[in-house]
Amino acid sequence: GVTALVRATATQMEIDGITAPAVDVGSVLRAADFAHISNEVSFTPDCPEPNPVGGTSFCSQDEYFALLEEIGTDIIELTGNHLNDWGAEHVGRSIDMYEAAGMDYFGGGRDAQDAARAALIDHNGNQIALVGCNFFGPSYALATETTAGSRACGPEFFEQVAKLKEDGHVVIATQQYTEYYQYPPTPDQERDFQAIADAGAAAVSGSQGHHAQGFDFHNGAFIHYGLGNLFFDQMDMLGTRQAFVDIYHIYDGRLINVDLWTGLIEDFSTPREMTTAEREQALRSVFEASGW
């Protein structure tokens, strides 16, 4: 889901402690063999103190990196549309921080060629590839031949998914899509996410979703159209407070199961585990939106 350590989220981190948002979800992510998050905002050395009611041009202070380490992040997705808000030069600097901490990355990079790289995992005989792209833009967020940013979606993305599948990888594909504040996917979402499944992805995940959205099974692939926020400050709607962590179980070269951890964001920053009643309501909403 969306991670943006900015605005009211960052303000609350300053009050409660930088790693406080990890109190519940941290143990879930640390338990994974590989924990992947989409961090939409670059770390910037001259980033000012957070403004809880600020605008939508974002940067993160370096000290907030400790939260990514606290939750055991292994792989950073860089498809976010806010990567270049304070300048493309900060993407490369942030990647340096990720690499120094032993984190891999995909979906964005130091230039367009770097942004197109897959994050490859070889684990217990399973060959896994994570790839992602930015469908939404804006244009200044996208990597070029000479500047850093997120990877633009295009024909080469689908060709890469197909080639990785042909080479024996379990392909996990993510997309920064248009944001919709509703549980059901739109017809355009269904078409564009299913196209990635048709190319050969085993799972397709919508990293853009500030609002939790529904699921699909298509051509043997699992699709989650929007996971909701993970660390972000949108408290005005129930659907933007509902956070999903999808836990993939991969065995013998196949995605065989997906567990759903459900959280509810409190204090503009912290996803706590849902109560039984809250989880039932959330799952009922997303299942009904999925046509189930």
Side-chain angles (χ1 to χ4, degrees), residues 39-45 59-62 65 68 76 78 82-84 87-101 103-105 109-110 148:
N39 187 37
E40 293 210 13
V41 180
S42 296
F43 295 95
T44 308
C59 65
S60 288
Q61 294 190 25
D62 285 359
F65 191 83
L68 305 185
I76 296 284
L78 297 173
H82 290 283
L83 284 182
N84 287 346
E89 66 273 17
H90 300 303
V91 177
R93 180 178 179 275
S94 297
I95 291 173
D96 290 342
M97 294 172 66
Y98 299 140
E99 290 186 321
M103 302 175 189
D104 203 351
Y105 65 95
R110 296 180 173 91

Coordinates of all heavy atoms in Angstrom, one line a residue, residues 39-45 59-62 65 68 76 78 82-84 87-101 103-105 109-110 148:
N39 N 7.3 2.9 -1.4 CA 7.6 4.2 -0.8 C 7.6 5.3 -1.8 O 8.5 5.4 -2.7 CB 9.0 4.2 -0.1 CG 9.2 5.5 0.8 OD1 8.3 6.0 1.4 ND2 10.4 5.9 0.8
E40 N 6.6 6.2 -1.8 CA 6.3 7.1 -2.9 C 7.1 8.4 -2.8 O 7.1 9.2 -3.7 CB 4.8 7.5 -2.9 CG 3.9 6.3 -3.2 CD 2.7 6.8 -3.9 OE1 2.6 7.9 -4.4 OE2 1.8 6.0 -4.1
V41 N 7.9 8.6 -1.7 CA 8.5 9.9 -1.5 C 10.0 9.8 -1.3 O 10.4 8.9 -0.5 CB 7.9 10.7 -0.3 CG1 8.5 12.0 -0.1 CG2 6.4 10.8 -0.6
S42 N 10.8 10.6 -1.9 CA 12.3 10.5 -1.8 C 12.7 11.2 -0.5 O 12.1 12.2 0.0 CB 12.9 11.2 -3.0 OG 12.6 10.5 -4.2
F43 N 13.8 10.7 0.0 CA 14.5 11.3 1.2 C 15.3 12.5 0.7 O 16.1 12.4 -0.3 CB 15.3 10.3 1.9 CG 14.5 9.2 2.5 CD1 14.3 8.0 1.9 CD2 13.9 9.4 3.8 CE1 13.6 7.0 2.4 CE2 13.1 8.4 4.4 CZ 13.0 7.2 3.7
T44 N 15.2 13.7 1.4 CA 15.7 14.9 0.9 C 16.5 15.6 2.0 O 15.9 15.8 3.1 CB 14.6 15.8 0.4 OG1 13.8 15.1 -0.6 CG2 15.1 17.1 -0.3
P45 N 17.7 16.0 1.8 CA 18.5 16.5 3.0 C 18.0 17.9 3.5 O 18.2 18.2 4.7 CB 19.9 16.6 2.4 CG 19.7 16.6 0.9 CD 18.5 15.8 0.6
C59 N 8.4 15.6 0.4 CA 9.8 15.1 0.7 C 9.7 14.5 2.1 O 8.9 14.7 2.9 CB 10.8 16.2 0.6 SG 10.6 17.5 1.9
S60 N 10.7 13.6 2.3 CA 10.8 12.9 3.6 C 12.2 13.2 4.2 O 13.2 13.3 3.5 CB 10.7 11.4 3.5 OG 9.3 11.1 3.3
Q61 N 12.2 13.5 5.5 CA 13.5 13.7 6.2 C 14.3 12.4 6.4 O 13.7 11.3 6.5 CB 13.2 14.3 7.6 CG 12.7 15.7 7.5 CD 12.6 16.4 8.9 OE1 13.4 16.1 9.8 NE2 11.7 17.3 9.1
D62 N 15.6 12.5 6.3 CA 16.4 11.3 6.4 C 16.1 10.4 7.6 O 16.2 9.2 7.5 CB 17.9 11.6 6.4 CG 18.4 12.1 5.0 OD1 17.6 12.1 4.1 OD2 19.6 12.5 4.9
F65 N 13.9 7.3 7.6 CA 14.3 6.0 7.0 C 14.3 4.9 8.1 O 14.1 3.7 7.7 CB 15.8 6.2 6.5 CG 16.2 5.0 5.6 CD1 15.9 4.9 4.3 CD2 17.0 4.0 6.2 CE1 16.4 3.9 3.5 CE2 17.5 3.0 5.4 CZ 17.2 2.9 4.1
L68 N 11.4 2.4 7.8 CA 11.6 1.3 6.8 C 12.4 0.2 7.3 O 12.2 -1.0 7.0 CB 12.1 1.9 5.5 CG 11.4 3.1 4.9 CD1 12.0 3.5 3.6 CD2 9.9 2.8 4.7
I76 N 12.1 -2.2 -2.1 CA 11.4 -0.9 -2.2 C 10.9 -0.8 -3.6 O 11.6 -0.9 -4.6 CB 12.3 0.3 -1.9 CG1 12.8 0.3 -0.5 CG2 11.7 1.6 -2.2 CD1 11.8 0.7 0.5
L78 N 9.4 1.8 -6.5 CA 9.6 3.2 -6.8 C 8.7 3.6 -7.9 O 9.1 4.4 -8.8 CB 11.1 3.4 -7.1 CG 12.1 3.2 -6.0 CD1 13.5 3.3 -6.6 CD2 11.9 4.2 -4.9
H82 N 5.1 10.7 -6.6 CA 5.7 11.8 -5.8 C 7.2 11.7 -5.7 O 7.8 12.5 -5.0 CB 5.1 11.9 -4.5 CG 3.6 12.3 -4.5 ND1 3.3 13.6 -4.7 CD2 2.5 11.6 -4.3 CE1 1.9 13.7 -4.7 NE2 1.4 12.5 -4.5
L83 N 7.9 10.8 -6.4 CA 9.3 10.6 -6.2 C 10.1 11.9 -6.5 O 11.1 12.2 -5.9 CB 9.8 9.5 -7.2 CG 9.5 8.0 -6.8 CD1 10.1 7.1 -7.8 CD2 10.0 7.7 -5.4
N84 N 9.7 12.6 -7.5 CA 10.5 13.8 -8.0 C 9.9 15.1 -7.6 O 10.3 16.1 -8.1 CB 10.6 13.7 -9.5 CG 11.5 12.6 -10.1 OD1 12.2 12.1 -9.3 ND2 11.4 12.4 -11.3
G87 N 12.7 17.2 -6.8 CA 13.9 17.1 -7.7 C 14.3 15.7 -7.9 O 14.4 14.9 -7.0
A88 N 14.6 15.4 -9.2 CA 15.0 14.0 -9.5 C 16.3 13.6 -8.9 O 16.5 12.4 -8.7 CB 15.1 13.9 -11.1
E89 N 17.1 14.5 -8.5 CA 18.4 14.2 -8.0 C 18.3 13.4 -6.6 O 19.2 12.7 -6.2 CB 19.3 15.4 -7.8 CG 18.8 16.4 -6.7 CD 17.8 17.4 -7.3 OE1 17.3 17.2 -8.4 OE2 17.6 18.5 -6.6
H90 N 17.1 13.6 -6.0 CA 16.9 12.9 -4.7 C 16.6 11.5 -4.8 O 16.7 10.7 -3.8 CB 15.9 13.7 -3.9 CG 16.3 15.1 -3.6 ND1 17.5 15.5 -3.0 CD2 15.7 16.3 -3.9 CE1 17.6 16.8 -2.9 NE2 16.5 17.3 -3.5
V91 N 16.1 11.1 -6.0 CA 15.8 9.6 -6.2 C 17.1 8.8 -6.1 O 17.1 7.8 -5.4 CB 15.1 9.4 -7.6 CG1 14.9 7.9 -7.8 CG2 13.8 10.2 -7.6
G92 N 18.1 9.2 -6.8 CA 19.4 8.5 -6.8 C 20.0 8.5 -5.4 O 20.5 7.4 -5.0
R93 N 19.9 9.6 -4.7 CA 20.3 9.6 -3.3 C 19.6 8.7 -2.4 O 20.2 8.0 -1.6 CB 20.2 11.0 -2.8 CG 20.7 11.2 -1.3 CD 20.6 12.7 -0.9 NE 21.0 12.9 0.5 CZ 20.2 12.7 1.5 NH1 19.0 12.3 1.4 NH2 20.7 12.9 2.8
S94 N 18.3 8.6 -2.6 CA 17.4 7.7 -1.8 C 17.8 6.2 -2.2 O 17.9 5.4 -1.3 CB 15.9 7.9 -2.1 OG 15.6 9.2 -1.7
I95 N 18.0 5.9 -3.4 CA 18.4 4.6 -3.8 C 19.8 4.2 -3.2 O 19.9 3.1 -2.7 CB 18.5 4.5 -5.4 CG1 17.1 4.5 -6.0 CG2 19.2 3.2 -5.8 CD1 17.1 4.6 -7.5
D96 N 20.7 5.2 -3.1 CA 21.9 4.9 -2.4 C 21.6 4.5 -0.9 O 22.3 3.6 -0.4 CB 22.8 6.2 -2.4 CG 23.4 6.5 -3.7 OD1 23.4 5.6 -4.6 OD2 23.8 7.6 -3.9
M97 N 20.7 5.2 -0.3 CA 20.3 4.8 1.1 C 19.7 3.4 1.2 O 20.1 2.6 2.1 CB 19.3 5.8 1.7 CG 19.9 7.2 1.8 SD 18.7 8.5 2.2 CE 18.2 8.0 3.9
Y98 N 18.9 3.1 0.2 CA 18.3 1.7 0.2 C 19.4 0.7 0.0 O 19.4 -0.3 0.8 CB 17.3 1.6 -0.9 CG 16.1 2.6 -0.8 CD1 15.6 3.2 -2.0 CD2 15.5 2.8 0.4 CE1 14.5 4.1 -1.9 CE2 14.4 3.7 0.5 CZ 13.9 4.3 -0.7 OH 12.9 5.2 -0.6
E99 N 20.2 0.9 -0.9 CA 21.3 -0.1 -1.2 C 22.2 -0.2 0.0 O 22.7 -1.4 0.3 CB 22.1 0.3 -2.4 CG 21.2 0.1 -3.7 CD 22.0 0.4 -5.0 OE1 22.9 1.3 -5.0 OE2 21.8 -0.3 -6.0
A100 N 22.6 0.9 0.7 CA 23.4 0.8 1.8 C 22.8 0.0 3.0 O 23.5 -0.6 3.8 CB 23.8 2.2 2.3
A101 N 21.5 0.0 3.0 CA 20.8 -0.8 4.0 C 20.4 -2.2 3.6 O 19.7 -2.9 4.3 CB 19.5 -0.1 4.4
M103 N 18.7 -3.1 0.9 CA 17.3 -3.2 0.2 C 17.5 -3.1 -1.3 O 18.2 -2.3 -1.8 CB 16.4 -2.0 0.7 CG 16.2 -1.9 2.2 SD 15.3 -0.5 2.7 CE 15.5 -0.5 4.4
D104 N 16.7 -4.0 -2.0 CA 16.7 -4.0 -3.4 C 15.5 -3.0 -3.8 O 14.8 -2.5 -3.0 CB 16.4 -5.4 -4.0 CG 16.8 -5.5 -5.4 OD1 17.2 -4.5 -6.1 OD2 16.8 -6.7 -5.9
Y105 N 15.4 -2.7 -5.1 CA 14.4 -1.8 -5.6 C 14.0 -2.1 -7.0 O 14.7 -2.8 -7.7 CB 14.9 -0.3 -5.5 CG 16.0 0.0 -6.5 CD1 15.8 0.5 -7.7 CD2 17.3 -0.3 -6.1 CE1 16.9 0.8 -8.6 CE2 18.4 0.0 -7.0 CZ 18.1 0.5 -8.2 OH 19.2 0.7 -9.1
G109 N 14.1 4.3 -10.9 CA 15.6 4.2 -10.8 C 16.3 5.5 -11.2 O 15.7 6.5 -11.3
R110 N 17.6 5.4 -11.3 CA 18.4 6.6 -11.6 C 18.2 7.1 -13.0 O 18.6 8.3 -13.3 CB 19.9 6.2 -11.4 CG 20.2 5.8 -9.9 CD 21.7 5.5 -9.7 NE 22.0 5.3 -8.3 CZ 22.0 4.1 -7.7 NH1 21.6 3.0 -8.4 NH2 22.3 4.0 -6.4
A148 N 16.3 10.7 -13.2 CA 15.7 9.6 -12.3 C 14.2 9.8 -12.2 O 13.6 10.9 -12.5 CB 16.3 9.7 -11.0

